[in-house]
Amino acid sequence: MTQSTLSEVKDAVTPRATLLVIGVVALQLLFIASYVGALHDPKPKDVPFGVVAPRAAAGQAVTRLERLPGSPLDPRAVADEATARKQILDRDIDGALLVDPAGTTDTLLVASGGGTVLATTLENLTSALERAQGRTVRTVDVAPASPRDFDGLSSFYLVVGWCVGGYLCASILAISTGARPANPSRAAIRLGAMALVSVVGGLGGAVIVGPILDALPGSVVALWWLGALITFAVGAATLALQGIFGIVGIGLAILLVVVLGNPSAGGAFPLPMLPPFWNAIGPALPPGAGTWAARSIAYFRGNDMTASLLVLGAWALAGIVITLLAAGLRKQKPPAAARE
């Protein structure tokens, strides 16, 4: 190898490049570990579940369900069928068993719009339990997933698309003129561009899954503004991370949204079927909050969205504030030559 070749290799393999490559490998391995770790062995755990039965029978049924191995259900007595249906639509419980004291066939209420896998799991679990008692069960879906929404995944994929648009747009805005904005004015321009892209992307996603593909029911307008909020929240957070850490901020955004956010979002498997760590962090990250809100719009009359919208709003607000502060502090910091 010639001296010039060695010099070229040395110039190419700089400490900064080496660190970036190591960071990419770390993200790769974390991606594998997070997705396989969260999704390889789904099991229901403490699924909110109602029991409708006469007082004595209700107590016995709740006790029997509480003692199931592995604690798959978190049962509680519910006054009547109407209350059970309301609690399911309000997303307070994921299913309910209506015990018929006069016969041997009970009724299971589920909501496949909240996740087909969870509804099927509840049906299998309840059927096995009823069979052991010499009874049978019929299933009624009170919030069915759309026939074109396979396994109830369309809302999750929609939110993933909005999240990808958010961090990719923010990354492009940063890379095109330097990862850290030179001043607050430029940071504000980036945030404004991000807001415009979010509105357009939110509308596009809502129209695609609604009128074009007919994959999700629900209000197109509500999905539009949800999509705009998700896209902007992820984009603003990415701009904030870039403002603090430079190009490394893009990797940190991917870590938060893709490596941690997507497996814990409750998309492929609803939250009660995820391991405890993923179940805990999912609602606090944009993919999880967005997926919950999208399903609420599509299948649950917009119920129980406040917490998710507050989470997304907090990400957006934090992104704005940190992006502007980072740019302001950078402007005030004297250049190296002046300090010398």
Side-chain angles (χ1 to χ4, degrees), residues 64-336:
R64 189 166 66 248
L65 294 175
E66 286 177 335
R67 293 176 177 174
L68 289 174
S71 186
L73 302 178
D74 178 17
R76 72 285 310 267
V78 177
D80 50 39
E81 179 178 352
T83 303
R85 286 175 175 267
K86 182 179 184 302
Q87 289 188 9
I88 291 173
L89 291 175
D90 288 344
R91 310 199 74 178
D92 294 328
I93 58 177
D94 291 308
L97 181 65
L98 313 181
V99 178
D100 180 7
T104 59
T105 300
D106 299 328
T107 301
L108 173 67
L109 304 181
V110 296
S112 61
T116 303
V117 174
L118 179 57
T120 302
T121 299
L122 290 177
E123 185 174 3
N124 293 338
L125 187 65
T126 308
S127 296
L129 184 64
E130 292 283 278
R131 199 161 44 245
Q133 300 293 320
R135 303 177 68 84
T136 58
V137 63
R138 69 183 186 96
T139 302
V140 175
D141 198 339
V142 300
S146 166
R148 297 190 179 185
D149 181 12
F150 177 73
D151 272 358
L153 290 172
S154 296
S155 53
F156 171 61
Y157 291 138
L158 173 64
V159 171
V160 167
W162 280 328
C163 289
V164 169
Y167 67 72
L168 282 184
C169 180
S171 300
I172 291 169
L173 287 170
I175 292 172
S176 63
T177 54
R180 293 185 176 94
N183 53 59
S185 177
R186 181 173 293 176
I189 291 172
R190 289 183 183 181
L191 289 167
M194 192 68 246
L196 179 60
V197 169
S198 299
V199 171
V200 175
L203 176 60
V207 170
I208 288 171
V209 301
I212 294 179
L213 297 179
D214 195 27
L216 284 181
S219 167
V220 172
V221 173
L223 285 174
W224 172 13
W225 291 111
L226 174 65
L229 178 57
I230 292 170
T231 306
F232 183 79
V234 173
T238 304
L239 288 174
L241 291 169
Q242 290 168 345
I244 298 172
F245 301 105
I247 197 71
V248 176
I250 297 175
L252 294 176
I254 294 173
L255 175 66
L256 284 172
V257 176
V258 179
V259 175
L260 294 177
N262 287 352
S264 64
F269 300 109
L271 292 175
M273 300 192 69
L274 296 178
F277 171 76
W278 302 100
N279 182 306
I281 68 171
L285 296 172
T291 299
W292 182 273
R295 282 178 172 161
S296 289
I297 292 171
Y299 297 116
F300 296 94
R301 306 173 184 173
N303 293 329
D304 197 24
M305 288 176 53
T306 302
S308 297
L309 294 178
L310 287 174
V311 167
L312 293 169
W315 279 94
L317 180 60
I320 293 171
V321 172
I322 294 172
T323 299
L324 295 175
L325 283 177
L329 293 173
R330 181 174 173 79
K331 181 181 179 182
Q332 295 172 12
K333 186 177 180 180

